[in-house]
Amino acid sequence: MDEKTLNSLILPRHIGFIMDGNGRWATARGLERAQGHKAGAQVFRSISTYCAKLGIESATFYAFSTENWKRPENEVNALMKLFKEFLEEAQAREEENEEIGFHIKFAGDTANMPEELVSLFDICEKRSADKTGTTVNVAVNYGGRAEITNAVRSIARKALNGEIAVDDIDENTVSSFLYTAGQPDPDLIIRTGGESRISNFLIWQSAYSEFYFTDVLWPDFTTDDLDRAIIDFCSRNRRFGAV
Ligand code: FPP
């Protein structure tokens, strides 16, 4: 996006990405599905870097859902390996990432996740915690209903302990127990790969999000495609329930 266009737009503060189409991209090339995820991981890198360049406050990437464990074991293993490589690379490129200003956050249930991965995420989160560039939420073992259920459980525990009065529980309380606590709700959610559904992604946070669906498969998604989605978003009239 050129400087002039960029300066004329009110950009989304938070963008969510449903990175769909890796498998089809690979199959169309006679490759293993895992190769599609590998290509998708490169696009995740370029798009998160571009979000930082644009000055987007938060970007959430749906990398692995609570339902994705049902996939063949070799595909699940390939994805776990990719996440590990990403985290190791983030450590190796700490200086570069610091310059970009990434604040990396894990969004998901750490239960039944490989221990090594959980601790790598923990290190990455801690090391990047004071960065003021784009917050990159990597949603792994993530499900929106599970996220809300966990929040309800934590709030109920606090109510039972007398730390919060039941009548004081409001929408902000719930938001503050979600993985995205303290971040703006997504203004824009982009799904690649031709399907038009939300698939349990940020279901609480997306109450007023604008949705952008594209047939482009995630490994083919470029910064130009993101520009198109943002420009489309900027042309919409968001009323948040008002007239
Ligand atoms: C959905 O496409 C995609 C996934 C389940 C995995 C997304 C993960 C990545 C892009 C890797 C991200 C990497 C890091 C490091 C965060 P699909 O496999 O369901 O595609 P299909 O609908 O064509 O089968």
Side-chain angles (χ1 to χ4, degrees):
M1 194 178 307
D2 62 67
E3 202 72 18
K4 194 165 158 246
T5 314
L6 182 59
N7 291 334
S8 71
L9 298 173
I10 298 175
L11 295 177
R13 292 175 67 194
H14 183 169
I15 308 178
F17 294 91
I18 303 179
M19 308 183 281
D20 199 11
N22 296 344
R24 278 165 286 163
W25 182 92
T27 307
R29 283 163 180 74
L31 303 169
E32 296 280 322
R33 292 176 56 84
Q35 291 301 112
H37 296 313
K38 201 166 177 191
Q42 295 299 332
V43 175
F44 156 77
R45 275 191 196 95
S46 63
I47 294 295
S48 50
T49 304
Y50 189 59
C51 284
K53 189 172 159 226
L54 292 178
I56 306 292
E57 233 172 284
S58 292
T60 303
F61 294 85
Y62 203 5
F64 195 88
S65 76
T66 43
E67 285 70 40
N68 286 152
W69 295 108
K70 294 179 204 148
R71 293 189 174 213
E73 197 182 334
N74 64 348
E75 188 175 341
V76 170
N77 290 342
L79 278 163
M80 294 300 147
K81 188 163 166 257
L82 271 181
F83 303 145
K84 184 169 167 263
E85 280 168 7
F86 153 68
L87 292 162
E88 285 169 348
E89 203 184 304
Q91 284 186 320
R93 290 196 191 176
E94 208 177 343
E95 246 171 65
E96 195 184 317
N97 284 345
E98 241 173 57
E99 214 165 286
I100 301 173
F102 283 136
H103 174 192
I104 296 162
K105 286 202 76 177
F106 170 80
D109 194 344
T110 50
N112 67 38
M113 287 251 307
E115 230 168 81
E116 189 190 12
L117 208 54
V118 175
S119 81
L120 276 170
F121 262 116
D122 198 44
I123 295 169
C124 250
E125 273 196 27
K126 286 197 175 117
R127 285 202 182 159
S128 65
D130 60 343
K131 300 299 171 297
T132 52
T134 303
T135 298
V136 175
N137 303 296
V138 187
V140 176
N141 199 20
Y142 175 87
R145 287 187 175 182
E147 179 183 33
I148 298 168
T149 307
N150 284 335
V152 169
R153 231 180 253 138
S154 305
I155 296 167
R157 227 172 263 129
K158 281 203 179 284
L160 280 174
N161 292 342
E163 291 169 53
I164 186 167
V166 170
D167 288 336
D168 288 344
I169 299 169
D170 59 13
E171 293 182 9
N172 290 329
T173 317
V174 178
S175 293
S176 72
F177 280 90
L178 304 179
Y179 301 119
T180 49
Q183 300 178 47
D185 283 337
D187 305 289
L188 171 63
I189 294 190
I190 298 173
R191 180 172 189 143
T192 60
E195 310 284 358
S196 310
R197 54 176 173 261
I198 184 97
S199 301
N200 206 11
F201 182 56
L202 302 180
I203 51 174
W204 173 277
Q205 298 90 330
S206 63
Y208 287 102
S209 300
E210 295 292 331
F211 290 90
Y212 183 89
F213 299 106
T214 169
D215 289 338
V216 174
L217 304 175
W218 179 255
D220 289 329
F221 192 76
T222 62
T223 54
D224 284 345
D225 290 313
L226 179 53
D227 282 349
R228 269 188 278 280
I230 291 175
I231 289 165
D232 182 86
F233 163 82
C234 291
S235 72
R236 299 187 194 182
N237 179 9
R238 303 181 77 203
R239 292 190 298 277
F240 299 96
V243 287

